[in-house]
Amino acid sequence: MGFRAITAQLVLRTPLHVGTGRATETVDDLLRRDAQGRILIPGTSLAGPLRAIATRLAPRLGSRSCQALQGGDFGSQICGCLTCRLFGDVTPQEDEKKGVASQVIIYDAPLDKNPEIAIRDGVGIDRVTGAAARKERLKFDLEVVPAGTIFSLRMEFDPNLTDERALQLLAVSLAEWEAGRGAVGGRVGRGLGAFTLQNIQYRDQKLDTIEAVVDFLKIGPGWTKQTGAGDWLATQSAATRKQAQLLSPVGDHSVACSWALTEFTLAAEGSFLINDPVRAGQGGFDHAPLLTAYERKGEPVLPGSSLRGVLRSQAERIARTLATHDAWGDNKRSSEERKREFSTSCPACNPLTTHTSTTHTSDAVASCNSFIKTLAPEKRRELEDRGAEDKLCLACRLFGSTWNGSRLRVEDAPLLPNTGKQKVMDFLAIDRFTGGGRDGAKFDAVALWQPHFRVRLFLENPEGWELGWLVLTLRDLHEGLTTVGFGAAKGFGRMTIQSPSITFGILHETDFPLPPAPEDESEDRQKLERAIVAREKLLTHRGTPSGLYQTIGYADSHKADWLDLADGWVQAFHRERRARPRAQEFTLQKDSYFTKIADQWLPDLYPVEVSA
Ligand SMILES: [Zn+2]
Ligand SMILES: [Zn+2]
């Protein structure tokens, strides 16, 4: 008989929202609280993400894949995979003896101290018009716990849990949290709920003597005393890592293979404006920067959702421009042919378009979601059950849609110290008739002067084409082809990327994203071959392991190899966007460029390339 527990501190890196699902007059969704009104993270909200990590890692430890991943109805069949043995069976069993209850209990995590609550205002910006897309219901208010807040985590094991492999799985799953790759609560893809687990203590208290039991009853359980083992996680992870290296990947996104993490400083060249309507209202300004409270002092932050929107719209622009060039072809093609080519191959939709009937969409580059709405009910149900991933455009697959989550996480980027002085700016709307300042049209704002934000982008199981597309997108951002925040027309929001770091985590050599082998003549054979050689070379320079993963990090000394590899990923992106024609029922019905205006083809007036 004994008592075993793990205690740790959960430190928020970005604001957290664990909602009640109930709205009030002032905010849409409130934080979860206990009976006394104290904020907490419910144990179930922690157990879910931890189980998800374990489910993805277990196949790499030799367990068979959990039946929960295969979808469908398994009736009374018991899974019995390593994850189910640890966290209990998913489906409640009629025969109680057969099913396994969870061997690990995760308690509600209370707050260390009462934080300042922030209200997050998320406004969806229509990328075509730049206006807030209110009619799209994209505005939401959230009550969030600010970054820097600490919660106390505690979990206990069943005394009968002796399965060494189940304990190893628990350890490597917790190691993901320790390495800062965890997220909890709502809207994690938009940058909320990222955290790091610290001060992890493993406590094992034997209750095999009367004295020990009396002691336990008198002083209370072991977590109140500082007697835990701080190295348990590292020891278990190291032992488990040796086993994982021998397994080859299964090659599907439900199984953990790899991750890519890049961190860089996004430096504004001049003024920078991100709006926080709440704070602007309080201060009487029309525009004020979004703040988050760190230790009760407000610091501006670049919201992950804003940066994500910027990256997505630039990525869409790149993909559509390239598709337009491809559709143009040689000068023998007719406008009709070009339109057909673009309509069947456009790799990136505009996710904000919604106009649809039961039979057709009526927007240019209509969203994948609006196409799905035109499908027959039984087809839609099929997509609901089995996922719509293979129907979606490349942008929806990378950045997510209402039909799939995103493997890309863009966190809130904190402001670096001593950058971004706040200054009030006046903008006068000039009356175009009289030339004088129009009454009531004066507009003021608090802008940040040359702020530097530290950005963190994390991509789970990256594919070569996704990395290539992100490389092109970030390069455009660095070169000023796209801006962040408001006021692009006034020259605001031009950014450069500084001090970047890139780290890959892999479980096996074959998990390191591979550029495709050259196939046909249209591809740049030399680039692809160089990339494959560079990848082999980089694999020989491993960094310090992280949890179950081996790491490979960017270093200036191998810059040439990294550039070659990135070139290969860009080629992979070109292949992917060409290789995937749109599903027939997703053929674009309208486009804003390949179209006729007053019986005249627009491309005839504005050709893609003017040939000699
Ligand atoms: Zn299972
Ligand atoms: Zn799409």
Side-chain angles (χ1 to χ4, degrees), residues 312 348-349 367-368 392-393 395-396:
R312 179 171 187 152
C349 74
S367 66
C368 296
L392 299 172
C393 74
C396 285

Side-chain angles (χ1 to χ4, degrees), residues 371-436:
F371 276 108
I372 290 175
K373 285 194 207 150
T374 64
L375 300 177
E378 63 272 16
K379 273 216 144 175
R380 274 213 304 272
R381 258 197 305 281
E382 198 190 308
L383 294 184
E384 269 162 30
D385 287 347
R386 168 181 75 70
E389 183 100 343
D390 58 330
K391 293 266 186 223
L392 299 172
C393 74
L394 297 188
C396 285
R397 282 167 68 199
L398 176 56
F399 293 96
S401 74
T402 37
W403 290 86
N404 66 321
S406 172
R407 281 171 286 115
L408 177 68
R409 246 186 269 155
V410 185
E411 289 186 11
D412 279 7
L415 184 76
L416 293 183
N418 305 320
T419 70
K421 238 177 97 176
Q422 299 190 19
K423 59 176 189 179
V424 177
M425 305 187 101
D426 272 340
F427 302 101
L428 200 62
I430 303 295
D431 189 307
R432 273 186 280 273
F433 292 103
T434 66

Side-chain angles (χ1 to χ4, degrees), residues 51 64-68 79-85 89-90:
R51 184 183 187 128
R64 59 186 176 70
S65 180
C66 182
Q67 70 184 17
C79 175
C81 78
L82 197 54
T83 310
C84 287
R85 294 214 300 273
D89 277 303
V90 188

